[in-house]
Amino acid sequence: MNFSTMFSTIDAHVAGEAFRIVVHSSITLDKEDIMANHDYLRTVYQDECDFLLNEPRGHQGMRGCITLPSSVADVGLLFFAHSRKKVFSYSALIATVTALIETGNLARTENDCYRIETVNGIYTVLAACTNEQVDAISLESSTHLLENQSDYRVVEVDESRRYLIKALPDEIPSIQLEYLSAIMKWGKKAAQQYGNTYPDLSGIILAQSSDTASNEVRSIIFDPDGNIVRSPGIDSTFAIFTAQLEAGGEHTKLINKSIFDSVLVANLVDKTNKRFSIQAQGFTTGMHHFIYDRDDPLKNGFLLK
């Protein structure tokens, strides 16, 4: 066995959205900038990325993050996923900063403000810590409405990620687990229907208002391939809030609950510019060491369906 191809990872989740954070590996990323490293990772190390998402007997919802040094931020972060299109997630920033601080891989700053370099730019997050435990991470983001159709809306987050928002169709009484089969069927159909019109969609959101007074919604988000994301999603929370405000809503807070009852709460920062804040906690669920065997006839691992 060749132990030089060992990977050390930290598994974490944010409101149910799971990430495998690679902190030590045989992957060498020393190009001149993060975009060059991103391209090199996908070109040279795609098999290793697939392996890390698929083992031990992985699942479709697992997403990967590779940390690397940055000359312009506290840490650099590259993303990989089963879907080659999905390259960014706010939850990944929260999960990674939490895991790195709590394991001592990221030195705390005086104000606990951290800058993360990604291929989408540099993002700033603020950590609330008790000793070396991260109690929560907060961040802000802006959105705008791209389309306002009679039966759906399209919202863009950070001028880069687009989401289509639909209200519940007649065949789905509510976003509850008892209707999961019908919801999954709807998601697959919607991905095919809208994927042709909007090939650059980051996701499709099904939203249901459940408590008008407190502005609580239940929602479920589908990846472009129609698979369900377990978390309510930070981007999708901002997108639903934007659609509400564009429809004349006056709330300053949105409670977004997933079908699995995980919750994210967004607050309005600037109504004119559709700027929101959110605070969430990352949870470390495990640490792993993987050994990648290039001679294994099934070296890319297994994906549980």
Side-chain angles (χ1 to χ4, degrees):
M1 185 65 69
N2 181 4
F3 285 87
S4 66
T5 56
M6 179 180 287
F7 295 79
S8 297
T9 69
I10 303 171
D11 281 7
H13 79 87
V14 176
E17 191 173 359
F19 300 95
R20 178 153 292 156
I21 304 158
V22 183
V23 289
H24 300 291
S25 77
S26 59
I27 292 176
T28 301
L29 300 172
D30 56 1
K31 303 303 177 186
E32 63 275 15
D33 57 45
I34 196 163
M35 182 57 75
N37 279 318
H38 168 266
D39 294 340
Y40 192 70
L41 177 70
R42 291 196 167 200
T43 303
V44 178
Y45 293 110
Q46 191 59 56
D47 286 346
E48 285 84 344
C49 290
D50 290 340
F51 166 75
L52 288 167
L53 294 173
N54 291 342
E55 292 294 348
R57 304 303 183 261
H59 59 87
Q60 189 68 37
M62 181 62 76
R63 296 171 186 179
C65 311
I66 292 184
T67 62
L68 65 166
S70 172
S71 61
V72 294
D74 295 293
V75 64
L77 198 60
L78 296 177
F79 306 92
F80 57 97
H82 294 288
S83 167
R84 303 292 186 258
K85 293 181 179 179
K86 189 122 183 156
V87 296
F88 180 86
S89 165
Y90 272 128
S91 295
L93 306 188
I94 294 173
T96 300
V97 171
T98 298
L100 294 183
I101 289 176
E102 292 186 343
T103 57
N105 284 288
L106 179 63
R108 288 183 61 183
T109 62
E110 287 188 4
N111 57 3
D112 274 323
C113 185
Y114 301 91
R115 287 161 52 85
I116 305 111
E117 184 184 14
T118 75
V119 294
N120 288 34
I122 296 175
Y123 292 84
T124 301
V125 303
L126 184 64
C129 303
T130 302
N131 298 321
E132 299 308 315
Q133 176 178 313
V134 181
D135 299 319
I137 299 279
S138 57
L139 55 87
E140 293 187 3
S141 179
S142 296
T143 68
H144 69 276
L145 184 71
L146 283 182
E147 287 191 39
N148 188 7
Q149 302 291 342
S150 59
D151 59 342
Y152 67 85
R153 293 178 173 83
V154 178
V155 174
E156 188 175 64
V157 180
D158 289 345
E159 298 184 349
S160 62
R161 303 179 299 281
R162 297 180 177 183
Y163 296 88
L164 187 145
I165 306 169
K166 289 271 296 184
L168 279 185
D170 293 338
E171 65 267 26
I172 301 175
S174 177
I175 299 178
Q176 301 286 346
L177 281 175
E178 61 190 287
Y179 305 114
L180 183 58
S181 178
I183 291 170
M184 292 174 65
K185 184 177 179 181
W186 184 92
K188 291 289 186 183
K189 184 178 178 181
Q192 292 179 347
Q193 178 182 352
Y194 296 108
N196 294 327
T197 307
Y198 303 98
D200 57 349
L201 274 184
S202 295
I204 298 171
I205 303 165
L206 199 57
Q208 172 191 15
S209 177
S210 59
D211 189 323
T212 304
S214 62
N215 200 26
E216 180 177 323
V217 300
R218 294 186 72 88
S219 72
I220 191 162
I221 181 168
F222 302 89
D223 275 337
D225 58 9
N227 287 302
I228 290 176
V229 179
R230 187 180 178 91
S231 167
I234 292 177
D235 272 3
S236 55
T237 302
F238 293 152
I240 293 169
F241 211 162
T242 301
Q244 284 187 344
L245 295 175
E246 293 289 353
E250 295 293 335
H251 287 285
T252 58
K253 181 174 76 173
L254 172 70
I255 302 170
N256 186 14
K257 185 178 291 187
S258 78
I259 190 172
F260 305 105
D261 287 334
S262 52
V263 178
L264 289 171
V265 180
N267 289 284
L268 180 62
V269 176
D270 182 344
K271 184 175 182 179
T272 301
N273 295 306
K274 302 295 182 295
R275 189 164 185 82
F276 310 95
S277 67
I278 205 163
Q279 186 179 71
Q281 186 173 13
F283 295 92
T284 300
T285 57
M287 299 179 187
H288 302 282
H289 297 295
F290 297 92
I291 297 174
Y292 180 66
D293 183 359
R294 289 184 179 276
D295 296 326
D296 188 333
L298 299 174
K299 61 184 179 183
N300 289 36
F302 295 85
L303 182 64
L304 299 179
K305 299 286 187 180

